Amino acid sequence: MIDLENTSFDCCIKCTICTAYCPVARATDLYPGPKYSGPDAERLRIKSPLLADHSLSFCNNCKRCETVCPSGVRITDFIYKAKGSRLKKSHRLRDFVLTRTDISGRLSAGFSWLVNPLMKLSVTRFFLSAFLAISRDAVMPAFDRGTFVSGFRNQAKAQEGFPRKVAYFHGCYVNYYDHALGNDVILVLNAMGIGVTAPRQKCCGVPLIAAGNFKAVRKNAAFNIASLGAAVADSDMKIVFSSSSCALTVTQDYPHLLAMDTSAIDDRLELLTRFLHREFAAGNKPAMGSLNLTAAYHSPCHLDRTGGVRHTIAVLQSIPGLRLILLHSECCGIAGTYGFKKEFHAIAQDIGHRLFDQIEQANPDIVITDCETCKWQIEANTRFPVRHPVSVLAEAVKKF
Amino acid sequence: MNESHDYDCLIIGGGLAGLTCGLACLEAGLSCAVVSSGMSALHFSSGSIDLLGYNADRTLATSPVDALPGFIEKNPDHPYARCGAETIMEAMAFFGRELEAQSAPMYANGRENHFHITAMGTLKPTFLSPASVFTREIRAAFEKRPAIAILDVKGFRDFHPGLAAANLRKNKLFADCPITCGEIELPGQTPAAGGARDMRSVDVARILDATTNLEAVAGAITAAAGRADIVALPAFLGLNRYQEILAGLRRATGRLIYEIPTLPPSILGMRLDQALKSRFAALGGVFIARDTVDAGRIEDNQVISVHTTGQKDDIRAACYVLASGSFFSKGLVSRYDRMFEPVFDCRLDTPPDGRSLSGAAFLSPESHAFIRAGVITDGQLNPQTADGRTIANLFCAGAVLAGYNPVIEGCGGGVAIATGYAAAKAIRARLHPPQPTATAGPQ
């Protein structure tokens, strides 16, 4: 039966601006672009799922199409709904490894001393490529030792002592790959007199959405909504995200793409830099020392999509001695798990080149970005270290 | 900047008016952010800037610079009248300098208009054009009654050389010019197996941006152009490397390569958009690419803050600019029962009743009444609330304004730039009023 409730493709006026700015369509002529894959083809797909074709899988979910659309069409919602419900799944094992970050992350982080060197071996990479279709050329990020959450337990008591607190959605990245960022978040917030709690959470689900696994992502979403909702229920606590993609997924994809009821947490969700910007503006700014650092700022696609970029810029501008170069916004190519996939790795690299060139030209001391996979991609392809805005902030706080 | 403000100036709308205003604010040392809800009307434009194409009596305006004072006198409610001829020319010069600084210069025919050729093969008067459409060299070449070849790329969907040629031949300016048509194929044009390329201008621009074999493209053009001196192509000669491609093709073919704007998204408009945004970022402006200002809080005839849909932010600034465009951009909204400006509910100048919104003929020199509808402002570009109070720190610019018809007057780009610039000037005067000269007094 035709789903008459979702005919928002009628808002599309076929101006083709989305396809004109699609980084994937620029890199390969195998992808017909978001206009065709989204609103155009949806008209056919609602008549027969058989009309869903595999060109859909080229979309990297960067959402630049939605950022540029003058008519406000939720283009990627059409694409991912169709991918999830109408395309036959391929690469099931690979997708399991890449998308079940809670499982693969916990296992690998527990054995990071073994996994990290192993991942660098060409023989491992050969097997990853042959059996899991994970690109041999992709630079695999290194796991941290153990999990952030287990380390956090030691601090949890001290955090209870703060009269004001936030609930921190650390996400898989901080939990398995970068405990230092999580500790920087705590350091900065503590310096502002705010304690941190870490409610139980599962992966936000953005890699599962990319793989079209809606059953699993709904389970994660339900868990997160319930857990976060319970954590903030009896207070006015905010839920803050250090990852721009986790923030986008929970604030936009949960209610829109997945049609989940997020009313229990809606008015609490904030990207961490938005929270900090508002605190700073209200006078609660931590004491900072001067950094003497030139940084190029790359705004991640998912942050641009939510309009939150001004908060990060404002926070960075408040750091003494930080000279900021704003890069022209471009997709870095990696788009979460996209660039790791064998069939898309070359496209991801091709997309990223323009950003890498911009960074080379700016020649900063460091690159700053809010997104963990942008960080991986830029570090793998340029000679510059990449930091999260809050880590730079933490450095200035430590310098005081 | 006052500590309680996020920015000196917050601009609603990231099109030509908003970006011009933003650049002028930044150049004046003011902090500035633009909230944009998607790409602007530049993507639907020719990429040339019309200042004044037609006089008040609908005759062709030879020199807009000379015609403006008279035009303003006859149209006292026109946005141009709010700026004044002097500020308008100052704005055009400012706009030119900003693009020059971004290495994307635009060219004028002195004080006069020049023509650009449309995809239909008609001529449109305009004031500023990019290097592929108008330069001194192009003017000299057309004056020699040259042989012209109008070429197309095989499979391109949005242009018909025969149609353009047939109309051009009817024009007495081209009576002595032999005009031929032809088609070329690009290296790398054949899509991979299963390829899904659509062959719109953006697709061709991408093929050319990626080509390492510009010589082959030049060879194809030379072969198809015969003995033509000028080769006109749809505007698709690259989005990033366009200057290099244009220069390279001109050099290798020995012909003057000319670009004709075609259907949206307009490559010429996208290049302009890109240059303006890059300049805005380079000067330290904050561009919010996707959010929508949905409401403004007004107290004591001042905007206190504006609210955004996406971030649910209350953004505070010392001054605000409404550059949200016309009906298409949702800067103005028309319902069956009323027409309104959705952010501040500013007072509008609207046609007296719903029936008169549009004329009987779709294409007619009388145009349609809805085009003139928009926000009423005073000489400072300040609008009024619905109950008639002037909002002192809100300024309006571009297509949201009432009292002009960009189509029949040929002034859309000029109004956007002039009012955007004039708004920035008014904001600077408001935030940094000229200090009275100190009089000598007792020490």
Side-chain angles (χ1 to χ4, degrees):
Chain A
M1 208 181 81
I2 292 177
D3 171 16
L4 282 179
E5 278 172 33
N6 187 7
T7 51
S8 61
F9 47 69
D10 281 344
C11 298
C12 170
I13 60 151
K14 313 294 166 206
C15 70
T16 322
I17 284 176
C18 54
T19 296
Y21 286 95
C22 170
V24 178
R26 190 181 72 223
T28 175
D29 63 17
L30 293 172
Y31 182 49
K35 175 170 92 65
Y36 172 80
S37 288
D40 282 8
E42 187 65 10
R43 288 172 191 275
L44 306 174
R45 292 188 295 249
I46 58 172
K47 291 185 178 164
S48 164
L50 293 172
L51 293 166
D53 68 275
H54 270 275
S55 67
L56 277 174
S57 58
F58 279 92
C59 171
N60 72 357
N61 196 26
C62 73
K63 296 187 192 275
R64 289 216 167 243
C65 48
E66 296 185 359
T67 300
V68 299
C69 174
S71 307
V73 180
R74 292 191 160 272
I75 301 165
T76 51
D77 282 7
F78 292 123
I79 295 175
Y80 281 89
K81 267 183 196 152
K83 243 173 115 165
S85 62
R86 291 170 175 140
L87 270 196
K88 235 183 100 191
K89 306 274 183 301
S90 53
H91 300 300
R92 280 171 182 276
L93 187 57
R94 190 253 324 261
D95 284 349
F96 186 87
V97 173
L98 287 183
T99 65
R100 300 304 183 101
T101 44
D102 287 323
I103 299 169
S104 56
R106 199 169 308 141
L107 278 175
S108 309
F111 296 95
S112 59
W113 51 273
L114 176 66
V115 176
N116 289 341
L118 209 59
M119 282 302 204
K120 293 202 173 94
L121 297 179
S122 55
V123 58
T124 318
R125 309 182 64 86
F126 171 80
F127 281 109
L128 282 177
S129 170
F131 296 110
L132 287 182
I134 289 174
S135 169
R136 283 172 85 163
D137 303 316
V139 179
M140 302 304 276
F143 288 97
D144 221 328
R145 286 186 65 174
T147 63
F148 171 75
V149 170
S150 59
F152 181 78
R153 283 191 200 111
N154 304 328
Q155 311 193 41
K157 254 234 146 54
Q159 297 300 320
E160 287 299 321
F162 287 90
R164 278 185 73 200
K165 285 187 271 295
V166 293
Y168 177 36
F169 192 94
H170 46 71
C172 308
Y173 172 69
V174 164
N175 204 18
Y176 306 119
Y177 295 97
D178 193 353
H179 305 169
L181 172 57
N183 291 326
D184 286 341
V185 170
I186 297 171
L187 182 137
V188 168
L189 287 167
N190 286 178
M192 296 160 63
I194 299 166
V196 175
T197 65
R200 289 190 63 205
Q201 53 195 267
K202 288 189 191 295
C203 167
C204 69
V206 71
L208 289 163
I209 291 172
N213 190 343
F214 276 48
K215 219 173 112 187
V217 76
R218 279 212 173 82
K219 258 168 88 176
N220 282 16
F223 181 92
N224 287 335
I225 294 167
S227 169
L228 295 170
V232 299
D234 304 320
S235 67
D236 59 355
M237 257 203 275
K238 294 284 184 188
I239 302 162
V240 297
F241 300 80
S242 50
S243 158
S244 44
S245 287
C246 298
L248 174 93
T249 306
V250 177
T251 54
Q252 296 204 6
D253 286 347
Y254 282 12
H256 293 289
L257 180 65
L258 306 174
M260 309 283 291
D261 177 10
T262 51
S263 53
I265 53 171
D266 263 344
D267 59 342
R268 305 300 183 89
L269 304 169
E270 261 187 320
L271 188 74
L272 182 55
T273 51
R274 182 185 192 257
F275 178 83
L276 295 174
H277 179 202
R278 289 156 68 95
E279 286 291 316
F280 291 7
N284 184 15
K285 198 192 273 189
M288 287 181 265
S290 184
L291 287 183
N292 188 25
L293 206 59
T294 301
Y297 175 65
H298 160 64
S299 61
C301 299
H302 284 177
L303 186 60
D304 276 331
R305 172 65 183 89
T306 61
V309 64
R310 75 180 191 94
H311 299 298
T312 299
I313 292 172
V315 164
L316 292 173
Q317 280 171 341
S318 70
I319 301 175
L322 184 72
R323 291 172 299 276
L324 205 57
I325 302 166
L326 301 178
L327 300 171
H328 192 82
S329 150
E330 300 259 9
C331 178
C332 75
I334 191 116
T337 51
Y338 191 80
F340 294 106
K341 296 173 181 172
K342 196 176 174 180
E343 66 274 31
F344 301 131
H345 179 71
I347 294 174
Q349 292 306 105
D350 193 40
I351 290 170
H353 264 293
R354 303 203 321 184
L355 177 66
F356 310 150
D357 291 348
Q358 273 196 72
I359 293 171
E360 287 291 339
Q361 218 168 17
N363 194 26
D365 299 320
I366 58 165
V367 176
I368 300 178
T369 190
D370 318 63
C371 169
E372 52 280 357
T373 63
C374 294
K375 171 186 156 80
W376 291 337
Q377 174 78 336
I378 296 167
E379 282 184 338
N381 291 283
T382 70
R383 56 204 166 84
F384 302 99
V386 182
R387 313 273 299 279
H388 190 278
V390 175
S391 291
V392 183
L393 200 59
E395 196 181 322
V397 170
K398 280 186 225 161
K399 271 223 164 163
F400 180 72
Chain B
M1 190 181 72
N2 186 318
E3 271 295 306
S4 66
H5 292 141
D6 295 307
Y7 310 99
D8 292 322
C9 179
L10 182 95
I11 299 170
I12 305 162
L16 189 56
L19 285 169
T20 305
C21 183
L23 290 173
C25 285
L26 294 171
E27 292 281 16
L30 304 175
S31 68
C32 181
V34 169
V35 183
S36 172
S37 54
M39 287 293 175
S40 74
L42 280 172
H43 293 68
F44 305 89
S45 78
S46 66
S48 290
I49 301 294
D50 301 347
L51 181 55
L52 186 67
Y54 304 92
N55 299 308
D57 62 1
R58 309 279 161 83
T59 55
L60 215 57
T62 316
S63 164
V65 183
D66 298 334
L68 270 172
F71 181 86
I72 286 172
E73 206 172 307
K74 286 202 185 83
N75 296 280
D77 291 329
H78 198 280
Y80 277 159
R82 306 281 185 264
C83 306
E86 201 178 312
T87 300
I88 297 169
M89 294 322 295
E90 214 177 287
M92 297 307 281
F94 168 80
F95 185 76
R97 283 198 305 278
E98 291 299 310
L99 286 172
E100 188 93 47
Q102 200 55 42
S103 304
M106 300 276 273
Y107 296 88
N109 187 19
R111 297 163 69 85
E112 298 192 351
N113 274 323
H114 57 270
F115 288 111
H116 73 86
I117 300 175
T118 70
M120 299 284 285
T122 56
L123 297 185
K124 268 190 70 185
T126 190
F127 190 68
L128 288 176
S129 287
S132 59
V133 177
F134 182 82
T135 54
R136 230 175 255 271
E137 188 195 4
I138 291 181
R139 186 182 66 183
F142 272 104
E143 276 167 0
K144 282 186 200 145
R145 306 281 173 238
I148 300 170
I150 304 178
L151 302 185
D152 191 13
V153 160
K154 194 178 168 198
F156 180 58
R157 297 186 177 202
D158 293 338
F159 184 65
H160 299 281
L163 177 67
N167 275 326
L168 272 186
R169 286 188 193 109
K170 286 188 201 161
N171 192 310
K172 63 179 190 302
L173 283 175
F174 291 86
D176 306 326
C177 303
I179 301 174
T180 55
C181 297
E183 191 176 73
I184 61 168
E185 221 171 313
L186 300 174
Q189 181 183 339
T190 320
R197 189 178 276 149
D198 215 12
M199 287 308 276
R200 308 279 179 191
S201 1
V202 169
D203 299 286
V204 180
R206 280 174 176 154
I207 294 171
L208 287 167
D209 271 337
T211 191
T212 49
N213 196 353
L214 213 52
E215 292 299 315
V217 181
I221 290 175
T222 310
R227 50 177 204 83
D229 312 291
I230 294 179
V231 175
L233 288 155
F236 51 34
L237 298 178
L239 268 166
N240 306 305
R241 291 171 57 211
Y242 62 95
Q243 284 163 328
E244 183 191 334
I245 292 168
L246 185 71
L249 290 180
R250 281 181 176 171
R251 198 167 45 239
T253 60
R255 322 291 171 102
L256 202 141
I257 308 284
Y258 178 91
E259 282 190 302
I260 299 174
T262 64
L263 289 180
S266 155
I267 300 287
L268 293 164
M270 285 172 74
R271 291 176 193 156
L272 186 53
D273 175 84
Q274 170 96 2
L276 292 171
K277 281 180 186 155
S278 298
R279 181 74 185 151
F280 186 76
L283 292 180
V286 177
F287 192 86
I288 302 156
R290 172 103 240 161
D291 209 338
T292 303
V293 172
D294 52 21
R297 197 152 67 85
I298 297 174
E299 277 170 26
D300 298 330
N301 304 335
Q302 303 250 12
V303 180
I304 303 299
S305 64
V306 293
H307 183 265
T308 66
T309 312
Q311 283 286 305
K312 301 188 181 81
D313 279 336
D314 288 306
I315 308 181
R316 298 169 74 98
C319 291
Y320 302 80
V321 177
L322 186 66
S324 48
S326 182
F327 298 99
F328 177 76
S329 312
K330 301 177 194 77
L332 299 173
V333 177
S334 180
R335 296 269 155 77
Y336 287 113
D337 54 339
R338 69 183 192 121
M339 205 180 255
F340 59 98
E341 181 281 303
V343 180
F344 302 101
D345 199 16
C346 293
R347 229 181 106 212
L348 297 189
D349 181 9
T350 55
D353 71 272
R355 280 169 191 278
S356 62
L357 281 182
S358 57
F362 178 59
L363 294 173
S364 108
E366 298 310 315
S367 191
H368 302 286
F370 76 85
I371 297 178
R372 301 191 84 89
V375 174
I376 301 170
T377 60
D378 60 15
Q380 292 282 303
L381 295 168
N382 292 131
Q384 295 170 359
T385 56
D387 54 6
R389 287 170 298 137
T390 298
I391 313 172
N393 67 341
L394 176 64
F395 301 83
C396 298
V400 78
L401 290 168
Y404 77 111
N405 186 324
V407 185
I408 62 167
E409 294 163 2
C411 67
V415 165
I417 292 167
T419 53
Y421 180 82
K425 222 172 140 176
I427 288 166
R428 195 174 52 175
R430 185 181 163 82
L431 298 183
H432 303 295
Q435 299 297 316
T437 358
T439 45
Q443 294 298 305

